[in-house]
Amino acid sequence: MVALVTGGAGFIGSHLVEALLSEGYSVVVLDDLSTGNEKNLASVRYKITLYRESILSQDLKGVLRDVEVIFHLAAQINVRRSVEDPTYDLKVNALGTLNLLEQARDVERFIYASSGGAVYGEPRYLPVDEEHSTDPISPYGASKLAGEKYVQLYGYNYGVKYAILRYANVYGERQDARGEAGVIAIFLDRLKAGRALTVFGTGEQTRDYIYVGDVVRANLLALKREGVFNIATGVETSVNELIEIIAGVTGIVPEVEYAPPRKGEVQRIYLSTTRAREKLGFNAEVSLREGIARVWRSMR
Ligand SMILES: NC(=O)c1ccc[n+]([C@@H]2O[C@H](COP(=O)([O-])OP(=O)(O)OC[C@H]3O[C@@H](n4cnc5c(N)ncnc54)[C@H](O)[C@@H]3O)[C@@H](O)[C@H]2O)c1
């Protein structure tokens, strides 16, 4: 089987590429390296075909030749950037997805990386399940949701089998600490540099943190099922609890600075895992403590 991973030089994509190779897939990567890095693929570079090109390219024929399944992870993932430059965000996330779908109408299966943290908006109840209303509060959430709609439309019109995976907050080895997505990467990076951790607001805001290896496993399970699935742990963790776990794992008691809360961030969110468990047979296996320990080991 030939699999295309868009965004395969990024944080999650590069882990998925490694897993697909171990499963015996031939892997093609399409990535413009805007936030991704060829270094993320260092261990597998000679085993894959890497196209350094945008998903917005009008000519993806060569990239798509022989491809049977597409894992679409390429995206503009920075929420603040989406607020500052919503047009760029829309182009990459919505138009980019549409452009890819339009040129890949014949593909057998399309697996789309969406965001449970962004498409639902302010939760009306917890844990948030897949039936929850989708009212994004950022351009990023709106563009990721638009991407979902196009995927469903191509399923309906052209029979493309699809799965939409709404990830919780993903963390793990190789996550870019310069981005704003990964609080765990940022905290561990600061700790290593002997710097204070900045918490926006009281630190009582909660998230659902999932280890990248679990997300990769969910992508492989999604090859056999269709639909929309939260990919999460269902565990609610506050930033203050996260700091306690980090202190426990690293043996370093961090200095913590509190700053004013940031606009446009939800206060509490964690996702229901029932559908993924029942329909995909997916359960997150790596605890937050274990996952953080793995990342910390890889950084030292
Ligand atoms: N990290 C998270 O917590 C999280 C949570 C929910 C959903 N997601 C989704 O998972 C996917 C991967 O995210 P990530 O955290 O690995 O981010 P990342 O920035 O590391 O990966 C995105 C990749 O896409 C590439 N890319 C960006 N624009 C492109 C374009 N126009 N053409 C081709 N390639 C392009 C980048 O170079 C990068 O390699 C994204 O779709 C994101 O929306 C991530």
Side-chain angles (χ1 to χ4, degrees), residues 123-128 206 236 268-271:
R124 293 177 205 275
Y125 54 85
L126 292 166
V128 176
T206 62
E236 182 180 27
R268 286 181 67 196
I269 189 164
Y270 66 107
L271 306 179

Side-chain angles (χ1 to χ4, degrees), residues 157-213:
N157 280 349
Y158 304 109
V160 176
K161 294 199 184 84
Y162 69 84
I164 288 166
L165 305 182
R166 292 178 175 161
Y167 306 162
N169 284 54
V170 190
Y171 71 95
E173 296 90 340
R174 298 202 288 264
Q175 187 166 31
D176 192 348
R178 290 167 306 170
E180 67 150 354
V183 64
I184 292 176
I186 294 169
F187 278 0
L188 291 180
D189 196 59
R190 288 200 155 214
L191 209 60
K192 196 177 160 201
R195 294 171 63 197
L197 312 186
T198 306
V199 173
F200 298 97
T202 61
E204 287 308 303
Q205 63 271 43
T206 62
R207 296 291 180 269
D208 183 329
Y209 297 100
I210 185 163
Y211 180 64
V212 67

Side-chain angles (χ1 to χ4, degrees), residues 32 34-35 54-56 72-98 112-113 115 118-119 136-148 150 180:
D32 70 354
S34 50
T35 56
S54 174
I55 50 169
L56 287 158
H72 179 38
L73 283 82
Q76 186 305 110
I77 69 152
N78 188 321
V79 175
R80 256 182 300 167
R81 179 161 189 200
S82 82
V83 175
E84 284 155 16
D85 191 352
T87 310
Y88 174 75
D89 177 80
L90 178 80
K91 265 191 203 146
V92 176
N93 294 355
L95 187 57
T97 300
L98 174 61
Y112 178 72
S115 169
V119 299
I137 55 171
S138 68
Y140 169 72
S143 66
K144 292 298 288 186
L145 184 61
E148 286 192 6
Y150 282 115
E180 67 150 354

Side-chain angles (χ1 to χ4, degrees), residues 94-156:
L95 187 57
T97 300
L98 174 61
N99 183 54
L100 181 65
L101 284 163
E102 185 55 19
Q103 295 184 60
R105 281 186 194 178
D106 299 333
V107 77
E108 273 171 39
R109 207 169 267 278
F110 196 96
I111 296 171
Y112 178 72
S114 187
S115 169
V119 299
Y120 296 116
E122 194 65 56
R124 293 177 205 275
Y125 54 85
L126 292 166
V128 176
D129 59 25
E130 292 86 348
E131 300 301 319
H132 189 283
S133 51
T134 46
D135 294 308
I137 55 171
S138 68
Y140 169 72
S143 66
K144 292 298 288 186
L145 184 61
E148 286 192 6
K149 297 293 177 193
Y150 282 115
V151 172
Q152 288 173 321
L153 193 68
Y154 275 68
Y156 183 75

Side-chain angles (χ1 to χ4, degrees), residues 12-24:
I12 303 170
S14 61
H15 286 274
L16 178 60
V17 168
E18 290 173 351
L20 286 166
L21 287 168
S22 329
E23 294 286 315

Side-chain angles (χ1 to χ4, degrees), residues 2 10 28 33 46 71 91 122 188 197 215 236 239 243 297:
V2 182
V28 178
L33 303 184
Y46 63 96
F71 295 89
K91 265 191 203 146
E122 194 65 56
L188 291 180
L197 312 186
V215 171
E236 182 180 27
V239 174
I243 291 172
R297 272 198 300 274

